[in-house]
Amino acid sequence: MTDELVDPSALAKFLASEAPDYAGDFTVERIGEGQSCLTFLVTGDGWRVVLRRPPRGDLPPSAFDVTREYRVMRALYDHGAPVPVPGPIVLCEDKDVIGAPFYLMESVDGVVVRDTLPDALSSLDDRARMSYQLLDTLVDLHAVDYAAVDLASFGKPAGYLERQLRRMNQLWELARFREQPDIDGVGEWLAANVPEQTEASIVHGDYKLDNVILAPTSPATLVAVVDWEMSTLGDPLADVGWLLYFWLDPGDELFRGPGAGGVTYLEGFPHRADLLRRYAERSGRDVRAIDWYAAMAGWKIAIIMEGSYRRFLGGVTDHPTFARLEEGVPALARRAAMAMRGELRL
């Protein structure tokens, strides 16, 4: 499968021309458990880099956009913004090279916390530390002056929420192939209750614990924020709602599943309400409408995963967890409906 997704000979020619520091023999290994863009470790003689490309198949327009990912990381990295990202190396927008646009970035030494905690980071202090670093880094991201880091043209801040609803409804029409009453019901409620957007910032779009890299040893230290393909300029509370939707409090264990695994229900992790309070205090933002943003997060991920499940059934994507989306997508939509009803204890 790797040979189909990354042609080593074509990549070698590209590296020799565009990134000669990484020319020569290398191996390519698919890594990570991401369910959108695909990630590969490219290892040569004395060097390792990471390659990101979209999945195969007939993809929705503007989805899985690695060029956006590269652009925002390049801007944050070059301007020394207080948001750690892997060093970007080179972008290739010519899909004819390996079959899709791709980019290369530095490999970051660290761990990703998804469904289990590494022994080295399992203490109660480390659980709290990684949680608050995750939240504080989000506050820092939303405080970045996007014009000062050359991202003024990265999106259209005004009307962000309305465009999100319009865009996701379009994706839902493309993804729909079975009845999903909670997706339909939450979508109708969101459209009827859009909050007023009072400011704009860089929005990560998929900000949660398993999209950051932590140093492998204690004390827990956030060393990189990754998976920026959904980033844009928009309402910063969209990131907060997304983070809290995926954050599991004690009693939420049964929600663990495709797109929603987690460890944060374990002792030592702060609760959703604690994170929300800290974000409000540190950012100074009014978070009273957060249930709407959490519901939008769940509605969006349910639609995205239904599209992934449809492609999986059609044989155009091979992620091993997609077989579980038969029940996983309705579970995501039910949690969105819980957020809509104010049942996530935010």
Side-chain angles (χ1 to χ4, degrees):
M1 186 63 63
T2 296
D3 289 343
E4 297 176 14
L5 294 166
V6 179
D7 180 343
S9 61
L11 179 60
K13 292 178 182 177
F14 175 83
L15 292 177
S17 172
E18 304 299 327
D21 288 345
Y22 305 99
D25 295 336
F26 56 80
T27 60
V28 180
E29 174 191 1
R30 187 167 169 180
I31 59 173
E33 299 182 23
Q35 299 173 350
S36 53
C37 288
L38 307 178
T39 308
F40 302 85
L41 182 65
V42 183
T43 305
D45 184 11
W47 56 266
R48 296 192 310 169
V49 299
V50 172
L51 182 149
R52 292 267 288 173
R53 61 151 289 169
R56 296 174 300 160
D58 184 16
L59 304 175
S62 78
F64 312 109
D65 191 346
V66 295
T67 62
R68 294 189 67 79
E69 186 165 272
Y70 181 85
R71 182 181 175 190
V72 69
M73 289 171 58
R74 177 96 267 169
L76 294 171
Y77 185 86
D78 287 352
H79 288 274
V83 181
V85 295
I89 297 171
V90 64
L91 170 69
C92 177
E93 298 183 80
D94 183 356
K95 66 180 181 180
D96 292 332
V97 175
I98 67 166
F102 68 94
Y103 74 90
L104 299 174
M105 61 181 169
E106 295 174 353
S107 176
V108 176
D109 182 25
V111 297
V112 174
V113 173
R114 185 168 284 113
D115 294 320
T116 59
L117 275 169
D119 290 343
L121 299 177
S122 62
S123 73
L124 298 184
D125 284 346
D126 279 325
R127 297 177 190 190
R129 182 180 173 90
M130 70 177 72
S131 303
Y132 291 128
Q133 283 197 20
L134 180 72
L135 190 283
D136 293 347
T137 300
L138 184 61
V139 174
D140 290 341
L141 172 65
H142 293 164
V144 171
D145 182 340
Y146 54 81
V149 298
D150 298 326
L151 289 175
S153 62
F154 193 58
K156 299 177 181 178
Y160 167 80
L161 298 177
E162 291 80 3
R163 283 196 308 279
Q164 285 285 294
L165 298 183
R166 184 168 59 251
R167 175 64 179 145
M168 294 309 301
N169 273 309
Q170 292 169 349
L171 291 182
W172 178 221
E173 292 308 312
L174 294 172
R176 182 194 297 269
F177 71 98
R178 56 178 174 160
E179 291 299 314
Q180 293 282 11
D182 282 326
I183 292 180
D184 291 330
V186 173
E188 292 172 2
W189 179 83
L190 291 171
N193 294 276
V194 181
E196 179 183 2
Q197 179 182 333
T198 58
E199 57 183 306
S201 73
I202 300 171
V203 173
H204 181 279
D206 194 11
Y207 197 83
K208 49 194 176 80
L209 183 59
D210 60 356
N211 278 338
V212 302
I213 299 175
L214 302 171
T217 58
S218 183
T221 305
L222 194 158
V223 293
V225 179
V226 294
D227 289 9
W228 292 84
E229 75 263 27
M230 294 171 64
S231 59
T232 188
L233 303 182
D235 190 329
L237 294 183
D239 275 340
V240 183
W242 189 273
L243 173 63
L244 297 178
Y245 172 84
F246 285 100
W247 196 269
L248 304 185
D249 279 357
D252 290 345
E253 292 91 332
L254 293 179
F255 180 63
R256 300 174 80 212
V263 297
T264 60
Y265 61 89
L266 297 172
E267 182 184 3
F269 285 96
H271 295 179
R272 286 185 292 269
D274 300 323
L275 293 178
L276 181 62
R277 187 179 309 110
R278 186 180 181 101
Y279 181 87
E281 291 172 352
R282 297 210 163 199
S283 70
R285 293 188 174 94
D286 183 344
V287 298
R288 286 176 293 179
I290 197 63
D291 287 331
W292 189 94
Y293 293 91
M296 183 176 72
W299 179 70
K300 286 176 61 176
I301 194 61
I303 291 171
I304 292 168
M305 289 293 99
E306 187 76 338
S308 295
Y309 186 47
R310 182 172 186 167
R311 292 195 303 278
F312 173 80
L313 294 176
V316 296
T317 189
D318 65 341
H319 197 286
T321 68
F322 283 175
R324 299 161 57 198
L325 291 175
E326 173 73 24
E327 300 299 330
V329 172
L332 292 168
R334 285 194 297 272
R335 188 168 172 86
M338 290 177 60
M340 175 186 72
R341 296 189 296 267
E343 296 173 3
L344 292 190
R345 305 185 302 278
L346 298 178

